[in-house]
Amino acid sequence: MKKILFVSVAALVLAAGCSSEQPAKTSAETTPAASSAPSETPKATPEATPKPSEAPKAKDGEYTAGDFKITGVSVKESAGMWMVTAKVQNAGDKDIQAAMLSAVLYDKDEKRLGIAQGGIDGIKKGESKTIQFISTDKLDGYKKIEFQVDTSI
């Protein structure tokens, strides 16, 4: 029953995340380039002074969102899909059955480029797992990334 609930919540969150504030793209804009090699952008670098509305971030490429510590962030594009990969640690005081997280990426002018979403199933207190956040938004040229917990049980 819990897995069905998690899958239902995950599908709902992903469906909501697919509706972007950006205008619809033409097929020419969404078709990947002829090159089969995936392009890779630099690793995320946290801002020195977060805004009050942002999730707090640790130093040296570490981020926090809810009870999660997030490290080792990389962003790459492959076949028209963008993937944000990160190591996520349950830094809270209890085991988590399931959680949905989002990575929000911004350009140099703080304009939101898009959102990548990912989920994690069964992470014990102190345990770390690698998550892939997935997006169809065009995320190249990002300069800032923030993480948030959308739901956790």
Side-chain angles (χ1 to χ4, degrees), residues 88-130:
V88 177
Q89 179 186 21
N90 179 354
D93 58 359
K94 62 183 179 184
D95 296 348
I96 296 174
Q97 295 176 11
M100 293 294 299
L101 293 92
S102 293
V104 185
L105 291 92
Y106 299 88
D107 69 9
K108 64 181 173 61
D109 298 321
E110 304 258 340
K111 179 182 172 201
R112 188 182 84 187
L113 296 172
I115 299 173
Q117 296 177 313
I120 194 163
D121 192 20
I123 184 166
K124 297 180 187 278
K125 173 184 164 184
E127 183 180 10
S128 296
K129 292 186 176 185
T130 299

Side-chain angles (χ1 to χ4, degrees), residues 74-91:
S74 68
V75 180
K76 66 180 180 177
E77 187 269 340
S78 178
M81 297 291 292
W82 284 84
M83 288 169 269
V84 177
T85 304
K87 181 178 175 183
V88 177
Q89 179 186 21
N90 179 354

Side-chain angles (χ1 to χ4, degrees), residues 28-29 32 36 42 56 69 87 90 118 122 125 132 135 138 148:
E29 292 173 314
S36 62
K69 181 172 101 173
K87 181 178 175 183
N90 179 354
K125 173 184 164 184
Q132 284 199 339
S135 179
K138 187 175 178 182
Q148 67 187 37

Side-chain angles (χ1 to χ4, degrees), residues 6 11 26 47 54 68 78 83 105 119:
F6 176 73
T26 64
E47 296 290 313
E54 293 177 12
F68 296 104
S78 178
M83 288 169 269
L105 291 92

